[in-house]
Amino acid sequence: MPQTSPAPSVRPRILADLTPLRTSVHYRRLWFGNTISWIGQGMTTLAISLQVYGITRSTFAVGLVGLCSLVPLLAFGLYGGAIADTVDRRRLGLISASGSAVLSAALAAAAFADFHHVWFLYGVVAFQSVCAAVNSPARSAMIPRLLPVEQLPAANALTSMTMTSGTLIGPMLGGLVVGFAGYQTAYAIDAVAFSASLYAMWRLPSMLPDRVEGAKKASVLEGLRFLATRPNLRMTFFSDFCAMILAHPRALFPAVAVIWYDGDARTAGLLVAAPALGAVLGGVFSGWQGRIRRQGLAILLAVGAWGAAIAVFGLTRNLWLGLLFLGLAGFADAISMAFRSTMLQAAVPDELRGRLQGVFLVVVVGGPRLGDFLAGSAADLTSPSVTVTGGGVACVLAVSLLALRWRGFARYDARDPQP
């Protein structure tokens, strides 16, 4: 009797899907280059904060670093997207990344020369944000040109890992480097790290946007009008606002560390790191995301899970349990971000991708800052516990109401991406 070989077992994918890294050499170079650059930027971000505090001994002066970064990023984010829809995105990426590398080199040169002035640091931070506001939409708009649409969820999960790894690893390395070798060394490492991103972009083919010959110049208003008439795309932004504005307790972590856990700055650091670590794990265990077709429904569930986890965190008084729920919130946020990015890349025409990615950048950057302000104000009027738990519940209710108002979003099918 002939022996038959057993049917191959089909095991569900759990770990991150590395197919985009295997199938596209251009994407692989870009991903590795961006990962190295993000870590370098994380080092510089911490080093600048430490240097400003070392010069001024003022936490207010350190807070102004964030403002100097935020304002240009919001102001130029939309225009950076319009530029990315007009010119060769590869060239734009090269120019803006080169600008960031030069600025990091300027920081290193100033530190080597003992030129320690706060106004100089503020100026460099502002120009770095301008470069990032131009670079980010161009870089994001390139991805759908490098990969087939079915690989976009995996690619965006990998991008999420890059961003969150940079925010975790970069500051840790930055603290060590500054402690052992000074600010100048951290800045110099960042300048050199940009070479990886520059090399990856230099090896890319030309990335001119798909525009009809004779079409008028890309405008910010055209992108906003397109967004205003596309309910599925609008919902990706509305759902993110529910999470980042209503249930974003980051500004309360210093107070929570002391009041709830009788801790100190190290406790606050753990609270900050927990969502980022959860987001990293969300990217590591993202292999299943490529099989999800109802991406709108996945976003709604992920945002609801974020709100629920934050609400429960507000009720905990055990540090490790609190860190667990913050980690779960970060895990859910990574899922939401991956699918939101995928929908923006798949459902938007190529000639508008830069502008919509610019809007995405403004929302991702501006939403948490607005959430910080709202959480801080509400906690002053009530208490951290009421603010955190109430914000989480409000997030769940708000995203549920949005899902009822625009029911088609939950039926969004990745096989037929409709904006």
Side-chain angles (χ1 to χ4, degrees):
M1 184 176 181
Q3 292 184 343
T4 58
S5 57
S9 61
V10 180
R11 290 187 295 180
R13 185 187 295 273
I14 298 176
L15 296 179
D17 185 358
L18 303 182
T19 302
L21 297 176
R22 290 195 296 264
T23 59
S24 172
V25 63
H26 291 305
Y27 176 79
R28 183 166 64 246
R29 289 196 198 102
L30 197 62
W31 186 82
F32 278 110
N34 289 338
T35 299
I36 295 171
S37 297
W38 265 93
I39 292 173
Q41 280 288 276
M43 293 176 59
T44 289
T45 298
L46 181 71
I48 288 176
S49 297
L50 293 173
Q51 189 174 6
V52 169
Y53 186 75
I55 296 170
T56 65
R57 295 297 171 182
S58 167
T59 55
F60 176 75
V62 176
L64 286 179
V65 174
L67 188 63
C68 290
S69 174
L70 175 62
V71 172
L73 202 59
L74 295 179
F76 286 89
L78 297 177
Y79 291 100
I83 297 170
D85 285 338
T86 304
V87 302
D88 183 353
R89 290 163 180 161
R90 169 186 173 272
R91 181 177 299 177
L92 183 63
L94 279 170
I95 293 172
S96 54
S98 297
S100 295
V102 169
L103 289 167
S104 292
L107 286 170
F112 276 115
D114 289 328
F115 186 78
H116 302 299
H117 294 280
V118 173
W119 63 265
F120 174 74
L121 297 174
Y122 287 161
V124 170
V125 166
F127 281 112
Q128 283 179 329
S129 290
V130 172
C131 291
V134 174
N135 183 272
S136 182
R139 189 177 63 244
S140 298
M142 293 177 190
I143 304 303
R145 300 278 289 271
L146 301 176
L147 298 169
V149 66
E150 63 270 13
Q151 292 183 21
L152 291 180
N156 286 307
L158 292 170
T159 299
S160 174
M161 290 173 60
T162 291
M163 296 171 62
T164 49
S165 295
T167 57
L168 273 177
I169 299 172
M172 287 192 296
L173 289 178
L176 291 173
V177 171
V178 169
F180 285 104
Y183 305 116
Q184 62 273 12
T185 305
Y187 298 141
I189 291 174
D190 183 27
V192 173
F194 271 109
S195 62
S197 179
L198 289 170
Y199 174 75
M201 289 189 184
W202 179 68
R203 293 294 302 271
L204 289 173
S206 176
M207 287 279 177
L208 286 166
D210 292 336
R211 294 178 58 81
V212 178
E213 188 175 349
K216 58 184 178 181
K217 186 178 178 180
S219 71
V220 173
L221 288 178
E222 184 185 1
L224 294 176
R225 281 194 295 266
F226 177 83
L227 179 61
T229 58
R230 300 303 191 273
N232 286 333
L233 294 181
R234 287 202 312 271
M235 274 291 289
T236 64
F237 295 111
F238 290 162
S239 60
D240 189 50
F241 275 140
C242 290
M244 294 297 103
I245 295 178
L246 298 176
H248 196 257
R250 180 180 59 187
L252 305 181
F253 286 161
V256 162
V258 175
I259 297 171
W260 293 1
Y261 305 119
D262 195 25
D264 52 18
R266 290 171 294 182
T267 309
L270 288 174
L271 295 174
V272 172
L277 179 58
V280 170
L281 294 176
V284 171
F285 297 100
S286 61
W288 54 274
Q289 293 180 13
R291 300 192 299 274
I292 301 300
R293 304 301 182 190
R294 301 279 294 277
Q295 295 177 350
L297 179 61
I299 292 172
L300 295 173
L301 293 175
V303 172
W306 164 279
I310 294 298
V312 177
F313 164 70
L315 299 173
T316 62
R317 295 300 180 268
N318 177 277
L319 177 60
W320 298 111
L321 193 59
L323 293 175
L324 172 63
F325 281 101
L326 286 176
L328 291 174
F331 191 97
D333 186 50
I335 295 170
S336 170
M337 177 175 283
F339 284 126
R340 285 185 288 112
S341 298
T342 299
M343 288 179 66
L344 279 175
Q345 292 168 344
V348 176
D350 184 72
E351 68 271 15
L352 288 165
R353 279 188 185 130
R355 278 163 285 183
L356 269 294
Q357 290 296 334
V359 176
F360 183 76
L361 176 66
V362 169
V363 169
V364 168
V365 172
R369 269 65 175 189
L370 187 56
D372 288 342
F373 174 76
L374 182 62
S377 302
D380 273 347
L381 294 173
T382 57
S383 70
S385 180
V386 170
T387 299
V388 175
T389 300
V393 172
C395 170
V396 175
L397 291 176
V399 78
S400 300
L401 291 174
L402 287 172
L404 291 174
R405 173 62 181 84
W406 286 284
R407 297 173 185 269
F409 185 68
R411 297 192 295 271
Y412 176 92
D413 192 332
R415 292 168 295 188
D416 181 27
Q418 296 298 319

